Amino acid sequence: MTEKHVFFDELGNEIEFVVKAKFSLDEEDYVALLPANEIDAMTYILRIELDDNGDEVLVGIDDDELDEAKEAYEELVKQQLQ
């Protein structure tokens, strides 16, 4: 079963995302998300953190961290295709 999450854009519109992968890099956990209704959409990569209650929350990352996470995700995808 595919894991999905619903988020809201800046206008309050509901957008459903499909989790493409969860992976770790340098002791940080990340998730790669793809909008469920857009075949050619770009993949979003966010860091997974825990809130005060121990629940997972997704956090945006800066460009440097994104570059490293993107490389790790692309390597993961490449390995899955082999």
Side-chain angles (χ1 to χ4, degrees), residues 37-65:
N37 297 328
E38 298 180 42
I39 295 171
D40 294 328
M42 68 177 174
T43 299
Y44 294 86
I45 298 177
L46 301 170
R47 185 174 59 239
I48 301 171
E49 294 186 357
L50 298 179
D51 66 11
D52 293 339
N53 296 322
D55 296 320
E56 288 184 350
V57 293
L58 302 179
V59 179
I61 54 180
D62 66 29
D63 289 342
D64 291 335
E65 186 177 1

Side-chain angles (χ1 to χ4, degrees), residues 6-64:
V6 175
F7 296 98
F8 297 91
D9 68 12
E10 59 277 354
L11 300 175
N13 298 315
E14 188 175 289
I15 304 172
E16 187 174 47
F17 285 85
V18 174
V19 175
K20 299 298 288 181
K22 287 185 178 180
F23 59 98
S24 297
L25 174 67
D26 299 330
E27 299 184 23
E28 297 285 354
D29 294 323
Y30 296 90
V31 64
L33 302 167
L34 187 65
N37 297 328
E38 298 180 42
I39 295 171
D40 294 328
M42 68 177 174
T43 299
Y44 294 86
I45 298 177
L46 301 170
R47 185 174 59 239
I48 301 171
E49 294 186 357
L50 298 179
D51 66 11
D52 293 339
N53 296 322
D55 296 320
E56 288 184 350
V57 293
L58 302 179
V59 179
I61 54 180
D62 66 29
D63 289 342
D64 291 335

Side-chain angles (χ1 to χ4, degrees), residues 23-25 45 61 63-79:
F23 59 98
S24 297
L25 174 67
I45 298 177
I61 54 180
D63 289 342
D64 291 335
E65 186 177 1
L66 178 59
D67 288 342
E68 290 180 27
K70 181 180 171 187
E71 285 180 29
Y73 173 67
E74 289 172 350
E75 184 63 31
L76 177 68
V77 169
K78 187 190 303 183
Q79 289 174 4

